[in-house]
Amino acid sequence: MLTKRSYIDRIHPEVELLREGSEWLRSGELVAFPTETVYGLGASALDALACEKIFWVKGRPQDNPLIVHVSNRAMANKLVERWTPEAELCVQHFWPGPLTLVLPKTALVPDVVTAGLANVAVRMPSHPVALGLIEETGLPIAAPSANLSGKPSPTSGSHVWRDMKGKIPLILDAGACQVGVESTVLDVTGGVPTILRPGGISKEMLEEILGEVRMNTLTDNRVPKAPGMKYRHYAPQGDMIVMVGLQERVIQRMGQEIQKGHARLKKVGVLCTLESAPFLHSRLPDLLFVLGSKHRSEEVASNLFEGLRLCDERGVDIILAEGIEEGGLGAAIMNRLQKASGHRIEYI
Ligand code: TXA
Ligand code: MG
């Protein structure tokens, strides 16, 4: 298939391009588009066949449900059977934005979208291109991240191009995504709201509005509620180790690992904070990628997937990543680093 990559204005998306995207979507095809978190691979959420294509193109396991994106509340109402007071509060405070709400679905939502679950995950993105595309299509859009299954999520049009070229008719490219990690997935079906996947809206932000909020992780629940959480994700080709602890000790450990790697003729890449970069630079890794300041988790979040993808592009064999504190977006960042490394974390 011939893939067209159209550059679209991030703030004032060109109407002709939105229209082109919506025509493909309405005819049952897939379109990749930017959101404020990561790029999505969209299909009409009401078209079961189109949604099946998403699984096929990504190589995604059939039991991993899709998030449905809406541009207004009326559209969401058609998908959700029953809204809880917690869900209402979330809509008021965090929509449009990087928060996905899990709620009971209506019969309108095809089973393929929810992987047979009784709940649907709904989100109103804040990116003008995403909102414009959904509005122009007049349909809710099911969209997972627009990467091949298992790979780091795409945070730029170039990432999508690399993964989706030849597989879909259109990529709307609006450059880099702002948030850089995916939305928070929150179960608000009743009882204490539970984070199924940490993301762009932090637990602290949710607690301010909702009171008690739980974190549902693989470690405290063998049967994950967000089915996607059980798969290996974001995995770069190289062997990856995440190092957490006192800065000097982490730098020292990384220095040792760089030497060990080089002795085995391996290419070693380092993903680190701005604060550690000068010290690690002198240890001569083959790639040094600065994620951002440890005091600005938003910066680290927005660069994370770019760093992971760069390691693959440069053929890095061993990836050493510096962990960051869990507050704010730190929880989402550590979650992605854990998964990318296959849970290889060294506490130093
Ligand atoms: O920021 C985002 O959420 C991006 C952009 C494109 O919106 N989308 C995204 O989709 O990250 P995806 O498919 O890569 O991840 C969706 C996550 C998975 O962990 C999936 O299992 C969970 O949401 N999920 C989807 N539907 C669900 C449902 N009905 N119940 C529980 N978890 C669900
Ligand atoms: Mg994904």
Side-chain angles (χ1 to χ4, degrees):
M1 179 182 293
L2 193 70
T3 302
K4 185 172 165 196
R5 179 178 179 183
S6 295
Y7 296 91
I8 187 164
D9 193 281
R10 187 163 75 80
I11 312 289
H12 302 290
E14 292 80 354
V15 181
E16 321 82 71
L17 295 177
L18 294 178
R19 199 163 293 149
E20 192 182 346
S22 70
E23 277 160 16
W24 282 118
L25 289 168
R26 274 199 300 263
S27 70
E29 276 302 332
L30 309 188
V31 174
F33 62 96
T35 80
E36 72 279 23
T37 57
V38 302
Y39 276 74
L41 179 63
S44 160
L46 306 185
D47 182 339
L49 278 177
C51 291
E52 272 171 29
K53 279 189 197 163
I54 292 180
F55 289 86
W56 187 77
V57 161
K58 273 187 65 111
R60 183 181 177 100
Q62 290 283 343
D63 64 350
N64 192 6
L66 307 174
I67 295 174
V68 183
H69 299 70
V70 298
S71 57
N72 57 63
R73 177 62 192 267
M75 208 181 256
N77 287 346
K78 293 194 183 138
L79 309 169
V80 171
E81 186 64 51
R82 186 170 37 82
W83 294 83
T84 56
E86 293 77 21
E88 293 289 354
L89 279 171
C90 286
V91 168
Q92 271 173 39
H93 286 88
F94 300 111
W95 275 14
L99 180 65
T100 296
L101 301 175
V102 172
L103 286 161
K105 82 174 193 79
T106 61
L108 198 63
V109 184
D111 280 339
V112 58
V113 170
T114 59
L117 297 175
N119 296 327
V120 63
V122 197
R123 151 163 136 83
M124 190 190 293
S126 63
H127 198 295
V129 174
L131 282 175
L133 181 66
I134 304 164
E135 199 64 25
E136 183 66 34
T137 310
L139 291 167
I141 305 296
S145 46
N147 52 287
L148 295 175
S149 202
K151 290 281 146 205
S153 296
T155 50
S156 76
S158 307
H159 297 165
V160 181
W161 177 249
R162 255 168 248 141
D163 281 15
M164 293 298 149
K165 176 181 40 168
K167 300 191 163 80
I168 59 173
L170 181 65
I171 298 169
L172 294 175
D173 183 345
C177 300
Q178 286 64 53
V179 180
V181 290
E182 302 88 338
S183 63
T184 302
V185 178
L186 186 69
D187 181 333
V188 277
T189 50
V192 179
T194 304
I195 296 175
L196 305 182
R197 175 181 72 181
I201 299 287
S202 67
K203 183 166 186 263
E204 293 87 339
M205 287 165 81
L206 292 170
E207 280 167 342
E208 226 170 88
I209 306 301
L210 300 172
E212 192 190 351
V213 172
R214 279 203 197 118
M215 187 72 90
N216 184 83
T217 59
L218 267 184
T219 41
D220 61 31
N221 191 344
R222 293 276 113 195
V223 185
K225 274 196 170 172
M229 300 299 278
K230 73 178 178 229
Y231 294 106
R232 179 141 192 242
H233 262 323
Y234 316 114
Q237 271 140 34
D239 284 333
M240 180 168 166
I241 312 172
V242 183
M243 296 188 180
V244 182
L246 271 182
Q247 190 192 19
E248 303 88 89
R249 310 246 293 262
V250 167
I251 291 166
Q252 202 194 3
R253 268 294 288 135
M254 284 194 177
Q256 290 167 353
E257 284 299 317
I258 293 168
Q259 271 190 351
K260 260 169 66 184
H262 283 167
R264 291 160 51 219
L265 303 179
K266 301 287 183 194
K267 249 184 156 181
V268 186
V270 165
L271 308 179
C272 68
T273 61
L274 184 65
E275 289 74 15
S276 304
F279 305 102
L280 287 164
H281 187 254
S282 61
R283 310 284 180 130
L284 305 178
D286 301 280
L287 170 72
L288 181 86
F289 184 88
V290 179
L291 293 165
S293 169
K294 66 177 176 189
H295 305 296
R296 291 190 293 272
S297 56
E298 325 79 62
E299 195 175 285
V300 174
S302 73
N303 291 320
L304 182 61
F305 291 139
E306 169 73 25
L308 288 173
R309 280 180 172 257
L310 198 62
C311 288
D312 277 358
E313 260 169 59
R314 299 281 175 85
V316 167
D317 304 300
I318 298 167
I319 304 166
L320 309 172
E322 182 180 356
I324 73 158
E325 283 186 17
E326 297 251 347
L329 287 191
I333 294 163
M334 286 308 288
N335 171 276
R336 306 312 187 261
L337 285 175
Q338 276 179 28
K339 300 186 133 222
S341 65
H343 298 269
R344 275 186 75 187
I345 312 244
E346 266 190 36
Y347 297 93
I348 299 159

